[in-house]
């Protein structure tokens, strides 16, 4: 471990058991903005750091530089294996700009790596659009860990989509038949009713009853 890196680690009080992760490490540069009050330490390491080490540095590096407004660290991995991206997937999703419900959703997704491409298996276009809207934060987090030359492939599993569709219970809408209520046109029948067969002459004021 180079002296400047050891000085930085001592300054932020990193536990001694984490020192082994930085055996061949060194500080490549310190990036400062025009105010010189915001900086990023670029640190080279032999292999990807454990998630707990990264968390500790992110949470404590500011303590070592109280006069600065913000201090961060990003890493360059000398011997990177892109398969390692999988073990950082949940950490990256958790710290991305996705909302909490979406983080929980995407943390359950199946991921795989081939060459330098991380493939995330999705269920539908809606999930794809949500992830694309937050893609920038996911890529930045992976680059900060040390994976700076990679691609993310979003794959919609059509077979799984159909399986979910088949498992979704169909809702059948039953139309209720309207019951016709009897309607009487005119006045109620009063007095005696004469059957049509009994009418044999012309008479006035004969009452007959009929149903239509």
């Amino acid at each position: 471990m180079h002296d400047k890196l050891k000085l930085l680690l001592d300054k932020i009080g990193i536990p001694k058991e984490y020192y082994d992760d930085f055996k061949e490490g060194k500080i490549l540069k310190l990036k400062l903005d025009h105010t010189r009050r915001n900086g990023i330490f670029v640190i080279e390491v032999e292999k990807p750091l454990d998630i707990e080490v990264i968390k500790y540095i992110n949470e404590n590096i500011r303590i070592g530089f109280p006069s600065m407004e913000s201090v961060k660290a990003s890493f360059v991995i000398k011997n990177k294996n892109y398969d390692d991206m999988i073990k950082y997937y949940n950490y990256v999703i958790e710290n991305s700009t996705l909302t909490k419900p979406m983080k929980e959703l995407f943390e359950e997704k199946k991921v795989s790596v081939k060459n330098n491409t991380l493939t995330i298996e999705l269920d539908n276009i809606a999930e794809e659009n949500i992830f694309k809207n937050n893609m920038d934060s996911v890529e930045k987090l992976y680059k900060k860990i040390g994976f700076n030359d990679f691609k993310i492939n979003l794959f919609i599993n059509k077979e799984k989509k159909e399986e979910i569709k088949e498992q979704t219970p169909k809702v059948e809408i039953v139309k209720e038949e309207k019951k016709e209520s009897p309607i009487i046109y005119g006045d109620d029948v009063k007095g005696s009713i004469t059957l049509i067969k009994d009418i044999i002459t012309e008479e006035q004021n004969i009452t007959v009853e009929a149903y239509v």
Side-chain angles (χ1 to χ4, degrees):
M1 182 192 309
H2 286 214
D3 292 341
K4 289 183 179 179
L5 177 56
K6 186 177 184 305
L7 184 63
L8 172 64
L9 298 180
D10 289 341
K11 200 165 186 176
I12 64 177
I14 196 167
K16 298 297 181 183
E17 58 265 28
Y18 292 162
Y19 273 50
D20 287 345
D21 295 76
F22 299 92
K23 277 184 178 178
E24 303 298 324
K26 62 181 178 181
I27 296 175
L28 296 179
K29 56 186 170 181
L30 171 60
K31 295 180 180 178
L32 294 171
D33 69 354
H34 68 283
T35 67
R36 302 185 68 82
R37 294 180 60 81
N38 299 284
I40 300 175
F41 283 97
V42 181
I43 302 170
E44 183 182 76
V45 290
E46 189 72 18
K47 59 182 181 179
L49 298 174
D50 288 341
I51 292 173
E52 292 304 315
V53 178
I54 294 173
K55 284 182 179 179
Y56 185 91
I57 292 174
N58 289 339
E59 292 169 3
N60 294 276
I61 192 169
R62 175 73 178 78
I63 299 171
F65 301 88
S67 62
M68 297 186 69
E69 290 182 6
S70 72
V71 186
K72 299 178 182 179
S74 66
F75 302 93
V76 175
I77 304 169
K78 286 181 68 177
N79 299 311
K80 65 173 69 73
N81 182 348
Y82 286 97
D83 289 344
D84 289 332
M85 291 182 72
I86 294 175
K87 76 176 184 179
Y88 294 98
Y89 175 74
N90 282 1
Y91 167 79
V92 168
I93 294 297
E94 183 61 32
N95 290 276
S96 70
T97 55
L98 286 161
T99 62
K100 186 176 180 181
M102 291 300 101
K103 287 176 181 179
E104 293 173 356
L105 173 68
F106 286 107
E107 282 174 356
E108 298 298 320
K109 296 302 179 183
K110 182 179 178 182
V111 294
S112 59
V113 174
K114 186 175 182 181
N115 298 325
N116 66 334
T117 301
L118 176 73
T119 297
I120 305 170
E121 187 176 301
L122 307 177
D123 294 338
N124 50 57
I125 294 175
E127 290 181 356
E128 181 182 37
N129 290 335
I130 291 169
F131 197 94
K132 282 182 177 179
N133 290 337
N134 295 272
M135 181 86 81
D136 187 55
S137 69
V138 172
E139 290 177 340
K140 283 181 178 177
L141 284 162
Y142 266 118
K143 288 176 181 178
K144 189 177 177 182
I145 293 169
F147 299 99
N148 57 348
D149 184 22
F150 67 95
K151 298 176 184 177
I152 294 180
N153 174 45
L154 303 177
F155 168 67
I156 297 176
N157 190 329
K158 293 183 180 180
E159 292 182 3
K160 190 174 180 181
K161 182 180 178 182
E162 288 300 318
E163 183 181 330
I164 293 172
K165 188 176 179 181
E166 290 175 4
Q167 291 175 355
T168 304
K170 295 181 180 179
V171 179
E172 187 175 345
I173 301 173
V174 179
K175 292 184 178 180
E176 185 179 351
E177 294 183 3
K178 293 182 179 180
K179 294 182 180 179
E180 294 184 3
S181 57
I183 301 174
I184 298 174
Y185 295 95
D187 298 327
D188 291 337
V189 176
K190 296 178 181 178
S192 61
I193 298 173
T194 303
L195 297 177
I196 292 177
K197 68 182 182 66
D198 293 334
I199 301 173
I200 55 176
T201 60
E202 292 184 8
E203 295 185 36
Q204 294 181 344
N205 300 324
I206 291 177
T207 302
V208 295
E209 185 179 33
Y211 294 93
V212 179

